[in-house]
Amino acid sequence: MSLLADYLANIKPSATVGISDKARALKAAGRDIISLSQGEPDFDTPEHIKEAAIRAIREGRASKYTAVDGLAELKQAVAAKFKRENGLDYKTSQITVSAGGKQVLYNAFMATLNPGDEVIIPAPYWVSYPDMVLLAGGKPVEVVCGMDKGFKITPEALERAITAKTKWFLLNSPSNPTGAAYTRAELRALADVLLRHPHVHVMTDDMYEHLIYDSFVFTTPAQVEPALYPRTLTVNGVSKAYCMTGWRIGYAGGPEPLIKAMAMIQSQSTTNPAAASQWAAVEALNGPQDFIPKHNKIFQERRDLVVSMLNQANGIKCPTPEGAFYVYPSCAGTMGKTTPTGKTLASDEDFVTELLEQEGVAVVHGSAFGLGPAFRISYATKNEDLEEACRRIQRFCGNLK
Ligand SMILES: Cc1ncc(COP(=O)(O)O)c(C=O)c1O
């Protein structure tokens, strides 16, 4: 009898972590590697947020368990954020806090999926979604949204994907891995479909809400269509906009029975997220927000640099995304070509493997996100490295025959 559970046969480790590990190993072996595979800002957590955590530790407010799904102070800060930034009214009893947005999503699937329940996931998607759904016993239903559709699901495609077994429609805007974000009009059109199917719930992952460029206006489904509010879980967190990936705090607002069920699952797994991190998150949400536009200005410059340089590489086509810190270029124009070392590129996985081997640039293959041949670049890296990496990609593509 195997020690490991049968269901693990369907689950794969995160591809993004896999590439980062490979890049790290090559670096440790002395190779000159530029990694554009990481999904986190290169900026450090702002000082006032760090100080809030240090104060909480010194004052003995971080030594003990807190309420399972978050300090009252943090739930109040989250409720105030939803009101201030999204026009959404959530009582603190409708708010949950977990160890990162990832745990929020995981709790939500564990709390709601019966065997065979379907979750509609537009592809390309964040790598963890389908595996989380599988872990919870559900069935991921991937809907491919190509570059020609701006990587966004259309109302027609959503309508076609809905069945009697659909439990959730999972939306992620701005998106990891494409950076695509939905306008209010696009969300309105999707909401019209959802209004015709009252059994479908909406899980919206707004993790990159603040990372938007060119005066794009962020909106979230429950804000666009108040009739969706009772069946929407609005997920967010401090990881990306506040440069706090290491602190592990995510949160959500939603219907009270769901929030209670999620807290019950958390009470039997990890209990509360680290208290010091929660105090840091209180400060992140209530404190000054002025560093966010400053970071965005830098991210936007980097995005424009990367898009422009990639579009000068043979066989690469890179659209300009609305948000997040990723670009998702197609490498279809390089498929079937051969490297100077004699390797023919048959897939985007070949493309990224050869790029890493030959030029020391780590990116993630698009097929890991459900749409290839393409690759994802994270531009949350300093400008010199981005420029050098794009030069190497141009050289790599230029050398293909
Ligand atoms: C789309 C998306 N959702 C959720 C998360 C999880 O964030 P956290 O680090 O808060 O768990 C990530 C992190 O990469 C993400 O890209």
Side-chain angles (χ1 to χ4, degrees), residues 39 100-102 105 126 129 172 176 205 207-208 239-240 248:
K102 204 170 209 171
L105 295 161
W126 180 43
Y129 294 146
N172 172 218
N176 177 4
D205 179 346
M207 195 57 74
Y208 295 91
S239 296
K240 312 286 174 168
R248 313 305 306 131

Side-chain angles (χ1 to χ4, degrees), residues 331-347:
C331 55
T334 66
M335 292 297 97
K337 293 193 174 170
T338 306
T339 66
T341 52
K343 171 87 194 169
T344 300
L345 304 181
S347 66

Side-chain angles (χ1 to χ4, degrees), residues 122-126 129 150-152 171-182 205-209 211-212 218 321-328 369 376:
Y125 45 72
W126 180 43
Y129 294 146
F151 302 118
K152 297 180 214 178
L171 187 80
N172 172 218
S173 167
S175 148
N176 177 4
T178 65
Y182 289 74
D205 179 346
D206 298 351
M207 195 57 74
Y208 295 91
E209 164 178 14
L211 299 164
I212 45 172
F218 172 87
E322 293 89 354
F325 37 65
Y326 308 105
V327 293
Y328 200 75
F369 304 102
R376 187 195 76 173

Side-chain angles (χ1 to χ4, degrees), residues 295-372:
H295 288 175
N296 282 1
K297 188 166 174 291
I298 297 170
F299 280 138
Q300 182 168 332
E301 283 165 15
R302 291 174 176 174
R303 177 201 65 172
D304 293 342
L305 169 85
V306 169
V307 168
S308 153
M309 288 187 76
L310 289 176
N311 279 322
Q312 292 165 47
N314 284 348
I316 303 293
K317 201 168 149 205
C318 185
T320 303
E322 293 89 354
F325 37 65
Y326 308 105
V327 293
Y328 200 75
S330 160
C331 55
T334 66
M335 292 297 97
K337 293 193 174 170
T338 306
T339 66
T341 52
K343 171 87 194 169
T344 300
L345 304 181
S347 66
D348 52 14
E349 204 163 356
D350 286 347
F351 180 94
V352 306
T353 305
E354 291 304 307
L355 180 65
L356 181 57
E357 293 285 334
Q358 294 181 27
E359 294 286 354
V361 176
V363 299
V364 188
H365 50 291
S367 42
F369 304 102
L371 178 69

Side-chain angles (χ1 to χ4, degrees), residues 122-142:
Y125 45 72
W126 180 43
V127 284
S128 296
Y129 294 146
D131 290 282
M132 277 192 196
V133 170
L134 288 169
L135 273 170
K139 181 176 165 207
V141 176
E142 298 176 15

